[in-house]
Amino acid sequence: MESEGADGSWVVVKLGSVAGVSSWRMAKHRHSHIVARSHLREWAHEGKVGVGWIDRDGPELLPPAEIAVRRGFYREQHPDGSTSDVLDPAMSRVEGAAIEIIRDLENRWPLDPSARSCLAEYMALQILRSPAWREWYSQAIGVATDKIRATDPERKPHVLRGAAALMELDTARHDLLVGNVPRIGTLLANMRWTILRCGKPRLATSDHPVVPVPFSAERLMPMAAFPPQGLMYTSEIRFALSPRLLLLLTWADDFAPEQIVKMSHAQVRNHNGSVIALAEKQWFHHPLHAVEQLHGLCEPFCFTLHGPNHLPQTKRWACVKQTVDQMVEDDEEAKAIALIEWDRVKSAA
């Protein structure tokens, strides 16, 4: 069963059709990091990260091993009562390759296609492994069930209930997560990338470190860790690679070499305010620097970077949307991220 879900996105929910990734079901993990521990070390000083708390008090300094942790978050509970692990061992392989790129990013910039795909895969995984995506998934099952019930009233209720129960299994949710990494990775890899750099470790991150900024008729717009209209309907996407480097993804029809540019004080405060606002339980910062943040709605960076009349729905946006939609329509388990040949697109225009 396919659904636009609660957010109107293109993610496909299949009821009653579960692909297997059984080769990943191995060691059990009692505690799970919803943000890579190796990435959080970028914010550490003398082994500790500065920690802010949402709706509670807690230690102001903690080691990376003790932050962004959820008990058994990726463990699968099976109907027979057994448990197994799908994602932790697989995610660690993706994380390791991406962190190596991040730590040497300024020397490697602009990234070659292999490194770009690796980093896009890591960002896609971070979006899909989050509590926000898990909440979306649960809502999407209900939306899909209601849609079938409305369009096919003859469908037997017990069949729909059984299909929904199947999709509510941890195994089904994890299989969909894995299957959507190449699709979301394709979306991210083909956006326009810019590195914003600040001189000191001033950037914050959180347990929802990817910041999607939604389309809006107004420049100021509420944000969500998994946006209500879907990832295609964003003005930009932000991801702090370290306390000094922010990766900004936009839809600009600019195919010149991608740049590293100086980050303004206002942009630092803007980013920190937005990523802290998306935090579920914790946000993080370098211990040697107090966090400066903008409170309230944050303006997208793309208007400053690409001009005040920048429109998110560009030719780049349309081409990426067509590519991702085709991946969904083909209904095949994509194995790799697709990089668009922009020189060919420009010559055909």
Side-chain angles (χ1 to χ4, degrees), residues 171-182:
T171 303
R173 182 181 64 252
H174 292 169
D175 285 345
L176 184 64
L177 186 162
V178 171
N180 275 318
V181 166

Side-chain angles (χ1 to χ4, degrees), residues 43 105-106 194-205 239-247 260-272 286 289-290 292 301:
W43 277 263
L105 184 133
E106 291 179 270
T194 303
I195 295 294
L196 302 182
R197 176 175 57 195
C198 50
K200 296 181 179 180
R202 291 192 170 103
L203 297 175
T205 188
F239 184 47
L241 303 174
S242 76
R244 292 182 55 252
L245 299 177
L246 180 75
L247 178 58
I260 298 179
V261 301
K262 183 178 179 180
M263 193 171 191
S264 70
H265 180 70
Q267 287 172 326
V268 171
R269 294 178 69 244
N270 181 319
H271 165 72
N272 288 346
H286 194 278
H289 288 272
E292 301 173 81
F301 293 161

Side-chain angles (χ1 to χ4, degrees), residues 98-124:
I99 298 305
E100 287 186 14
I101 295 169
I102 290 171
R103 288 176 178 164
D104 193 38
L105 184 133
E106 291 179 270
N107 294 326
R108 303 177 65 157
W109 195 264
L111 298 180
D112 61 45
S114 176
R116 188 184 188 92
S117 296
C118 180
L119 193 49
E121 181 182 36
Y122 175 61
M123 285 189 288

Side-chain angles (χ1 to χ4, degrees), residues 55-81:
D55 298 330
R56 57 159 291 189
D57 294 325
E60 294 182 355
L61 293 173
L62 285 171
E66 297 179 21
I67 57 178
V69 173
R70 303 291 185 274
R71 183 180 178 88
F73 195 73
Y74 303 119
R75 183 180 300 161
E76 292 183 0
Q77 299 284 342
H78 299 303
D80 63 2

Side-chain angles (χ1 to χ4, degrees), residues 28-191:
K28 296 180 181 180
H29 291 253
R30 182 178 178 184
H31 299 294
S32 300
H33 279 83
I34 61 171
V35 181
R37 179 170 54 181
S38 55
H39 195 182
L40 291 171
R41 291 193 186 107
E42 299 296 309
W43 277 263
H45 175 71
E46 296 182 347
K48 298 290 182 67
V49 175
V51 182
W53 297 83
I54 306 299
D55 298 330
R56 57 159 291 189
D57 294 325
E60 294 182 355
L61 293 173
L62 285 171
E66 297 179 21
I67 57 178
V69 173
R70 303 291 185 274
R71 183 180 178 88
F73 195 73
Y74 303 119
R75 183 180 300 161
E76 292 183 0
Q77 299 284 342
H78 299 303
D80 63 2
S82 64
T83 62
S84 61
D85 177 66
V86 176
L87 295 180
D88 271 314
M91 289 192 299
S92 65
R93 293 192 290 272
V94 176
E95 293 164 3
I99 298 305
E100 287 186 14
I101 295 169
I102 290 171
R103 288 176 178 164
D104 193 38
L105 184 133
E106 291 179 270
N107 294 326
R108 303 177 65 157
W109 195 264
L111 298 180
D112 61 45
S114 176
R116 188 184 188 92
S117 296
C118 180
L119 193 49
E121 181 182 36
Y122 175 61
M123 285 189 288
L125 180 61
Q126 183 57 65
I127 292 169
L128 291 164
R129 73 194 286 182
S130 68
W133 185 82
R134 179 172 291 196
E135 182 179 353
W136 172 86
Y137 178 86
S138 297
Q139 294 173 353
I141 294 173
V143 171
T145 302
D146 291 342
K147 184 176 179 180
I148 287 184
R149 188 179 292 115
T151 57
D152 185 7
E154 299 300 319
R155 187 72 64 95
K156 294 182 179 179
H158 75 275
V159 174
L160 282 178
R161 287 195 300 270
L166 181 63
M167 284 307 298
E168 288 168 358
L169 294 175
D170 295 334
T171 303
R173 182 181 64 252
H174 292 169
D175 285 345
L176 184 64
L177 186 162
V178 171
N180 275 318
V181 166
R183 296 168 181 168
I184 291 182
T186 293
L187 183 157
L188 300 173
N190 290 291
M191 296 177 75

Side-chain angles (χ1 to χ4, degrees), residues 3 8 22 24 33 38 53 78 83 94 135 165 199 203 221 223 227 232 251 258-259 279-280 283 290 304 314 333:
S3 172
S22 58
W24 288 11
H33 279 83
S38 55
W53 297 83
H78 299 303
T83 62
V94 176
E135 182 179 353
L203 297 175
M221 182 70 176
M223 298 181 187
M232 277 304 312
W251 299 108
E258 294 173 323
Q259 298 177 314
E280 184 194 43
W283 54 273
T304 302
T314 59
E333 187 177 346

Side-chain angles (χ1 to χ4, degrees), residues 27 55 91 140 198 210 217 235 293 298:
D55 298 330
M91 289 192 299
C198 50
V210 181
S235 296
Q293 62 173 301
C298 299

